[in-house]
Amino acid sequence: QKQRAALAAALAPGPQLIVLDEATAMLDPAGRQQVLDVLLWLRRQGTTLLLVTHLAAEAALADRVCLLSRGRVLAFAPPREVFADAALLAEAGVEAPLAGRLSHDLARAGLRLPFFPLQEAELAQAFCQARAQQAAAVPPAAAELPSAVSLSDAAPDNTAPEGAALPLTATAQRAGENMLETAVGKARADAAAENGTDDAPVLTLRQVVYRYPMPDSCCQPALDSVSVSFRRGEFAAIAGRTGCGKSTLLQIAAGLLPPQRGQVLCAGVPPVPGAPGMPAIVFQSAEQQLFAASVEEEIAFALRRLRLTAAERRARVRRALAAVGAPASWLPLSPFSLSGGEQRLVAIAAVLVMEPAILLLDEPTAGLDCRFRQQLLARLAALTANGVTVVMASHDMEALAEYASRLL
């Protein structure tokens, strides 16, 4: 909500050029789409937009994509051209949109599509065309994007493949949807099978109610009679629209906010922040947790109360930093010299160094590129194999579908 308010303030003067840095990183899918709709409308009005993003689906809407890697420009071209180049994406450590990634997978399996899709509806059309041509033993020919796919805003005319247009049929749409549903369902089943969990809950919320003080006495509570429990060694996810109470739930579960009604129990007692065996939390604005002069001091700070030798402290700090996929070369750096996504990783490492049994994370993948995102999610999943309970609130639906064993 704060992010959307800040964006509105930037748009109010009616600027001719707007620069947006990860403007939708904390928004739910509906809120993100609303912002993108506004940006596309501004583009039609003649406003120049420069959008910095890690989300390939957003970059796919642009007229041109400037692909950066280590301070160098690798490409500056229409998105269809950039995302179709798998070698270029691998060099930059960038992913294509979901439809594009599936297209690359199909190409590696021997099925080449007649055009490179940027949207799921395009993927369904291209897949059906390719299978029909394959069945008829006709070499795939260049084909234009289906006329039924509305891309007047999403993709400029100069990025569309040339050739004859084919209508998007209901069969093609259903085929694409079935492909995606099958992939998501398999990911969920695999995650559930791989994460064996104990049935006894380690963290329980019972009929929890919490209402923020508002001038309007009739306002809706942030949490209204919420009851949920989390088991040892599971990867649980919390999803919902912006402002639905996800962050509030995590802070109450961590013992930072007392429930106004109801009960929270961890190992049979109310959670005490910082106590052994109690939940540890990484906040949504992780960079606000940082304060030390160096990354090493930041991560080591929580260890000051433990009776560890200097060598033991250094070893735990390095393990925690490696656990989030960050290099040891960050240790002497100021955390405030890092990017927002890198600061998020340091904040997570500063919590992991205490080796918590219950880890609560609020939007941990926001602002991360695909490489750090995948490394972090894989390491969080690995923690559950060692009995750590991971509870993650996120708008990253692909991550939740792939890694979570349960979704709240």
Side-chain angles (χ1 to χ4, degrees):
Q1 292 167 321
K2 292 177 182 177
Q3 195 167 10
R4 294 171 74 176
L7 181 59
L11 297 179
Q16 294 302 302
L17 168 64
I18 303 175
V19 180
L20 304 105
D21 191 355
E22 298 288 353
T24 66
M26 296 289 187
L27 300 183
D28 60 50
R32 180 180 297 121
Q33 188 58 52
Q34 289 174 356
V35 170
L36 293 175
D37 288 343
V38 170
L39 296 181
L40 293 171
W41 177 83
L42 288 169
R43 185 178 69 177
R44 291 196 299 271
Q45 306 308 308
T47 303
T48 300
L49 303 171
L50 177 57
L51 176 65
V52 178
T53 181
H54 287 305
L55 300 177
E58 291 183 1
L61 302 179
D63 296 293
R64 291 189 296 164
V65 173
C66 180
L67 189 61
L68 292 177
S69 177
R70 299 179 180 178
R72 295 184 301 114
V73 175
L74 298 184
F76 195 15
R80 203 175 301 277
E81 178 181 330
V82 172
F83 288 123
D85 192 333
L88 181 68
L89 297 182
E91 181 183 354
V94 170
E95 287 185 330
L98 175 60
R101 298 200 302 274
L102 292 175
S103 176
H104 287 306
D105 290 341
L106 290 170
R108 283 190 288 270
L111 180 63
R112 293 198 171 275
L113 302 183
F115 60 85
F116 186 80
L118 292 176
Q119 297 181 340
E120 285 81 355
E122 295 177 25
L123 174 64
Q125 173 70 10
F127 180 78
C128 288
Q129 288 183 33
R131 290 300 300 271
Q133 292 166 339
Q134 192 179 56
V138 175
E144 189 181 355
L145 294 180
S147 58
V149 180
S150 177
L151 291 177
S152 57
D153 287 330
D157 292 341
N158 62 2
T159 67
E162 297 179 356
L166 292 176
L168 178 65
T169 65
T171 301
Q173 183 73 36
R174 285 196 300 272
E177 291 172 352
N178 290 340
M179 287 168 56
L180 297 174
E181 288 174 3
T182 300
V184 170
K186 182 179 184 303
R188 285 176 174 162
D190 290 346
E194 291 174 1
N195 289 295
T197 59
D198 295 337
D199 290 333
V202 294
L203 179 63
T204 300
L205 286 76
R206 296 174 181 165
Q207 296 296 310
V208 168
V209 174
Y210 193 88
R211 187 191 305 269
Y212 289 99
M214 295 284 185
D216 182 2
S217 59
C218 297
C219 68
Q220 286 291 111
L223 296 178
D224 189 2
S225 301
V226 171
S227 295
V228 63
S229 62
F230 303 101
R231 300 187 294 267
R232 179 181 180 274
E234 77 166 329
F235 197 134
I238 304 173
R241 299 194 65 170
T242 301
C244 71
K246 301 185 298 295
S247 298
T248 302
L249 189 153
L250 290 181
Q251 292 180 44
I252 288 177
L256 300 176
L257 288 178
Q260 293 163 344
R261 288 209 303 272
Q263 189 178 36
V264 182
L265 295 176
C266 178
V269 299
V272 178
M278 293 292 113
I281 186 170
V282 178
F283 294 105
Q284 186 177 99
S285 299
E287 63 277 4
Q288 295 181 4
Q289 295 179 235
L290 307 178
F291 58 88
S294 71
V295 170
E296 185 169 15
E297 292 177 36
E298 185 73 49
I299 300 174
F301 182 80
L303 301 175
R304 71 196 189 284
R305 293 182 297 175
L306 303 182
R307 295 181 177 179
L308 300 175
T309 66
E312 289 171 332
R313 282 196 300 272
R314 284 195 299 270
R316 287 183 64 161
V317 167
R318 288 175 177 270
R319 284 201 304 271
L321 193 60
V324 297
S329 59
W330 287 11
L331 290 172
L333 303 179
S334 166
F336 303 103
S337 69
L338 304 176
S339 71
E342 291 168 343
Q343 289 180 345
R344 185 174 298 276
L345 293 177
V346 172
I348 296 172
V351 172
L352 289 179
V353 75
M354 293 300 293
E355 301 176 355
I358 303 172
L359 182 60
L360 313 177
L361 305 108
D362 198 350
E363 295 288 355
T365 62
L368 298 183
D369 63 31
C370 65
R371 178 172 64 90
F372 277 131
R373 173 184 173 274
Q374 286 301 118
Q375 288 179 351
L376 175 62
L377 291 170
R379 284 168 169 81
L380 292 177
L383 289 176
T384 64
N386 295 322
V388 177
T389 300
V390 174
V391 182
M392 182 175 85
S394 181
H395 294 306
D396 188 341
M397 297 297 107
E398 287 187 35
L400 301 189
E402 184 175 357
Y403 287 94
S405 55
R406 287 197 301 158
L407 179 63
L408 174 63

